[in-house]
Amino acid sequence: KMKKQEIKKLKKNEIMTNIDKYKKDLFNLRFQKTNGQLTSFSKIKYAKKTIARLKTLLKGKINA
């Protein structure tokens, strides 16, 4: 898990890489959910929030 302070220290290319990673994780989690294999639904919520945080930070760094 990434903390807010860790996310703020990332560079643009690291942010893009992490967004891709979390999107793949989210896809896999949704796939597991439909197959009934997912045990912790909070992982989906965490992945969504982390993607949103990363995108917000990326937008701020692009505009800066």
Side-chain angles (χ1 to χ4, degrees):
K1 289 188 172 185
M2 295 182 72
K3 295 187 178 183
K4 290 179 187 176
Q5 293 93 4
E6 293 173 4
I7 291 173
K8 288 181 181 179
K9 293 178 185 175
L10 296 175
K11 295 183 173 115
K12 287 181 189 178
N13 59 347
E14 294 171 328
I15 293 171
M16 296 294 286
T17 306
N18 280 317
I19 288 173
D20 289 340
K21 185 186 109 182
Y22 278 103
K23 281 187 176 182
K24 288 177 187 172
D25 288 347
L26 186 59
F27 176 79
N28 290 329
L29 289 169
R30 285 181 176 149
F31 194 72
Q32 288 175 9
K33 181 182 173 188
T34 57
N35 289 335
Q37 297 172 340
L38 188 62
T39 54
S40 176
F41 292 96
S42 64
K43 291 180 182 179
I44 292 175
K45 187 176 178 181
Y46 174 76
K48 284 181 179 181
K49 283 188 174 187
T50 305
I51 291 169
R53 281 190 189 115
L54 289 167
K55 283 185 173 182
T56 302
L57 184 64
L58 181 64
K59 188 175 182 181
K61 289 197 181 232
I62 289 173
N63 293 337

